[in-house]
Amino acid sequence: MKKSELTFRQNFDPERSGLRSLQVVDWLVLIGIVVLIYVGVRLAVNAPETVGGRQISLDPSRLPLYALYSVLRMLGAYLLSVVFTLIYGRVAAYNPRAEKVMMPLLDVLQSVPILSFLPVVLLGLSAILPQNIAAELASVVLIFTSQAWNMTFAWYQSLTTIPKELREASAIFRLNSWLRFKNLELPFGMISLIWNSMMSWAGGWFFLMAAEIFTVGQRDFRLPGIGAYLHEASVQGDLTAIGYGLATLILVIVALDQLVWRPLIAWSDRFKLEMVESDNPPTSWFYSWLSNSWLFRYLGQRVFAPLNERFDQWLMRRFPVERESQPTSQWQIWVGRVFAAGVIILLGFGMMRAVTMLLALNGAEWGQIGLGVVATAVRVSLALLIALAWTIPVGVLIGTNPRFASVVQPIVQVAASVPATALFPVLLLFILQVPGGLNLAAVLLMLMGTQWYLLFNVIAGANAIPQDLKYTTALLGLKGWQRWRTLILPALFPYLITGAITASGGAWNASIVAEYVTFSGKVQQTIGIGAVISHATDQGNYPLLLAGTLVMVVVVVLINRLVWRPLYRQAEEIYRME
């Protein structure tokens, strides 16, 4: 069969997805990141050389409290992410001038490996705040930056795709900004927000665990939580405590899934725009129980409904119906120009200071950075290849075989929710006993942090293959490799690229905690850019810390733009179903 006879195309928009060529705004954003990292490094110069960590008890009775600490950190970061998402995404969607800066800014920030900022943020905050507060704040900031970008893009795209007839209806009913947000925008984007919130929350576990166990040399920034409990149990070789910690973590993940996310998914099904009700709507036993609860209905009718009505009336008085937009006045244009000029001047000054610090590095240190980037890139590539080797066949089997999926998919969902950083100390307990153990452990941590992104995208791609195309290939007698080459792999290609982008970013992030670790009182390190950053932090070599962090950021951003963008374009032009 010729390629033109069976062409697959997915509804991908490279411009919307953010995979564009580097433009002037992108370079300004990158310079802003350079200046921000430089400010953090300058603050880190004044950080204490020795930081005493908190005592972590392995008493199982402490686990409920540790679990509560971890969930509260996640909740604080998630609430901050929701507020940021709703405000930032709405401004970008409805203000064309702001959109030209805000979306490229968001695009570059989502490409930055977040854990590369962890040493800079922790040391910078510890220089100006008490250690406990600095560590807690750094963990929340770290989780926030892992959650916010994905949710914001989803919210922005929901707002920009609201049907025209719905917008016209809101104008006819003269809804003010609050009522339009409550009755149109939020319901329309609710399903996307909830699903992306689930993804962001699951990803946040990885970064929470990394923050809870972060130690470099004489600086111990550990936080009481499940991650620190598992790390301490692994260092002491207490297998019983490791079992208790993993069981608690899995119990928390399953409880949140059953009591929070599944009910939200079942509730959000009411916001679907469809003419015919779905045959298999999402269900939740907890949501059904709440819906049928007399107390829940009573509180809704007698308490929450009157409060909601009063709140609506108050906001309607505060925000009257918007009039037609007025043209921008001359003074507003000049204020914007002056503000932009001030920002550019500050960025230029900060960039000059950052370059001055970087000039303090010698050739050997730059060579160390270059070798580290190559070594980490090799590990990232190896982890991606291993992940692709097993996720493609297993994902296709799950996506096309309902009986197999009913057994395996729940197991996969729980396994994917367990953060790789929680298992890493347990792996070190065994892998460091073999030659080259840390190299193997680093690849395994990257693999555990990447494989699930690929697997779930493969499952989604396999599920999305139209039934008529399956019948067509069956009628043509295509089997084995011919069927894979003609039907399955072309259909999966866009989903593989989507998963690979996220997986690659996760692998680069993992290098920070995988290539340089303190275990049983000894420092274990291997060649890699993550090890360069952590070692520079340990030694107080702040020019090297700045250079290593900047190089990792720039390399990842360039890979996203120069490698993944052409692949996305190919998916757009060749493999889109239409």
Side-chain angles (χ1 to χ4, degrees):
M1 176 176 291
K2 295 181 181 179
K3 188 177 183 181
S4 60
E5 293 177 3
L6 192 56
T7 302
F8 296 84
R9 294 183 178 272
Q10 295 291 335
N11 293 323
F12 277 80
D13 188 347
E15 297 298 321
R16 272 287 166 82
S17 66
L19 293 169
R20 304 164 294 104
S21 57
L22 288 172
Q23 299 176 359
V24 174
V25 175
D26 298 310
W27 288 111
L28 289 175
V29 173
L30 284 174
I31 292 173
I33 293 175
V34 172
V35 173
L36 184 63
I37 298 175
Y38 167 75
V39 171
V41 170
R42 287 298 304 172
L43 289 174
V45 173
N46 300 321
E49 295 184 1
T50 302
V51 176
R54 302 189 195 182
Q55 191 69 28
I56 306 298
S57 171
L58 294 185
D59 185 352
S61 64
R62 303 284 293 176
L63 272 172
L65 183 60
Y66 288 167
L68 178 63
Y69 287 154
S70 294
V71 171
L72 287 177
R73 293 183 190 110
M74 291 279 288
L75 180 61
Y78 175 72
L79 293 177
L80 187 62
S81 299
V82 170
V83 173
F84 175 86
T85 292
L86 295 178
I87 296 175
Y88 194 101
R90 198 171 190 276
V91 172
Y94 293 145
N95 190 323
R97 297 183 65 184
E99 180 187 25
K100 294 178 181 179
V101 176
M102 295 175 72
M103 296 316 294
L105 172 62
L106 201 65
D107 179 26
V108 174
L109 289 176
Q110 74 160 349
S111 302
V112 172
I114 303 165
L115 283 180
S116 63
F117 285 97
L118 182 57
V120 174
V121 173
L122 271 173
L123 291 178
L125 291 176
S126 64
I128 57 178
L129 294 172
Q131 177 213 332
N132 292 345
I133 297 177
E136 293 285 359
L137 185 58
S139 69
V140 171
V141 170
L142 188 69
I143 302 166
F144 163 79
T145 52
S146 73
Q147 294 177 338
W149 319 140
N150 184 55
M151 294 167 58
T152 303
F153 269 117
W155 174 240
Y156 165 80
Q157 291 178 350
S158 294
L159 293 178
T160 55
T161 55
I162 295 177
K164 183 179 179 181
E165 56 269 21
L166 295 181
R167 294 186 182 277
E168 291 175 347
S170 69
I172 292 173
F173 285 106
R174 296 180 57 80
L175 301 181
N176 69 347
S177 55
W178 163 248
L179 290 180
R180 187 169 67 248
F181 169 79
K182 177 185 174 183
N183 297 308
L184 173 61
E185 297 166 354
L186 195 58
F188 187 82
M190 183 60 69
I191 295 177
S192 177
L193 266 179
I194 290 177
W195 277 101
N196 281 275
S197 292
M198 286 180 61
M199 294 171 57
S200 295
W201 186 281
W205 280 112
F206 181 96
F207 299 97
L208 171 69
M209 297 296 165
E212 287 185 347
I213 66 174
F214 192 75
T215 58
V216 180
Q218 300 300 315
R219 299 182 176 95
D220 186 350
F221 293 103
R222 288 181 304 167
L223 294 168
I226 299 179
Y229 183 93
L230 285 168
H231 180 267
E232 184 66 21
S234 300
V235 170
Q236 296 188 21
D238 191 334
L239 296 179
T240 302
I242 291 173
Y244 282 132
L246 289 176
T248 302
L249 177 59
I250 294 173
L251 181 62
V252 169
I253 291 170
V254 172
L256 288 172
D257 178 71
Q258 294 296 311
L259 302 180
V260 178
W261 299 118
R262 292 297 166 187
L264 284 175
I265 291 174
W267 169 76
S268 67
D269 190 61
R270 66 178 66 187
F271 300 115
K272 274 188 176 180
L273 287 178
E274 54 187 8
M275 300 297 294
V276 180
E277 187 177 355
S278 174
D279 292 334
N280 298 300
T283 59
S284 165
W285 65 268
F286 187 65
Y287 176 69
S288 300
W289 179 78
L290 286 178
S291 301
N292 297 324
S293 168
W294 174 86
L295 179 61
F296 189 77
R297 291 199 302 269
Y298 176 82
L299 291 176
Q301 296 172 0
R302 300 292 185 178
V303 179
F304 296 117
L307 289 176
N308 180 55
E309 185 176 353
R310 292 177 185 176
F311 186 64
D312 284 348
Q313 292 174 352
W314 179 73
L315 285 176
M316 290 175 66
R317 291 192 298 268
R318 291 287 301 254
F319 300 100
V321 178
E322 296 176 355
R323 298 179 180 178
E324 294 185 2
S325 57
Q326 300 295 326
T328 305
S329 63
Q330 194 67 26
W331 73 269
Q332 289 176 318
I333 295 176
W334 276 105
V335 168
R337 290 175 178 175
V338 170
F339 177 77
V343 170
I344 292 174
I345 291 173
L346 287 176
L347 290 179
F349 176 75
M351 189 68 181
M352 290 176 56
R353 297 299 300 269
V355 170
T356 302
M357 178 176 281
L358 293 175
L359 291 176
L361 294 174
N362 56 45
E365 290 173 318
W366 283 110
Q368 182 184 358
I369 292 174
L371 181 61
V373 167
V374 173
T376 301
V378 170
R379 293 191 188 96
V380 170
S381 301
L382 183 59
L384 284 175
L385 289 175
I386 296 173
L388 287 170
W390 81 267
T391 56
I392 292 177
V394 174
V396 170
L397 189 59
I398 294 175
T400 57
N401 190 325
R403 293 183 63 182
F404 182 77
S406 64
V407 176
V408 176
Q409 192 163 343
I411 299 174
V412 168
Q413 288 175 336
V414 173
S417 299
V418 178
T421 40
L423 298 176
F424 190 53
V426 183
L427 288 176
L428 290 176
L429 192 63
F430 303 99
I431 296 180
L432 289 181
Q433 306 300 321
V434 302
L438 188 58
N439 272 306
L440 178 59
V443 173
L444 283 176
L445 179 62
M446 292 177 180
L447 177 62
M448 291 190 299
T450 60
Q451 57 191 358
W452 307 118
Y453 298 114
L454 286 166
L455 179 62
F456 283 110
N457 275 279
V458 171
I459 294 173
N463 275 322
I465 299 176
Q467 192 65 38
D468 56 342
L469 292 182
K470 295 179 183 179
Y471 290 149
T472 301
T473 56
L475 289 173
L476 293 174
L478 300 180
K479 297 180 180 179
W481 170 243
Q482 267 194 324
R483 184 170 181 269
W484 274 82
R485 183 175 61 87
T486 309
L487 174 67
I488 297 175
L489 290 179
L492 293 181
F493 184 75
Y495 296 90
L496 286 175
I497 300 303
T498 302
I501 292 174
T502 311
S504 174
W508 282 95
N509 261 312
S511 69
I512 302 296
V513 294
E515 296 175 348
Y516 187 99
V517 297
T518 302
F519 195 78
S520 297
K522 297 180 181 179
V523 173
Q524 305 280 348
Q525 67 175 356
T526 186
I527 297 174
I529 189 63
V532 169
I533 293 173
S534 297
H535 181 71
T537 306
D538 188 9
Q539 300 297 317
N541 188 342
Y542 297 107
L544 183 61
L545 173 61
L546 175 63
T549 305
L550 291 180
V551 168
M552 177 182 278
V553 168
V554 171
V555 166
V556 174
V557 170
L558 289 178
I559 288 175
N560 282 349
R561 295 302 176 85
L562 302 179
V563 176
W564 301 123
R565 179 180 179 270
L567 292 175
Y568 249 109
R569 180 179 296 166
Q570 187 175 359
E572 162 70 14
E573 295 175 353
I574 301 176
Y575 301 109
R576 183 177 64 195
M577 294 187 206
E578 60 181 12

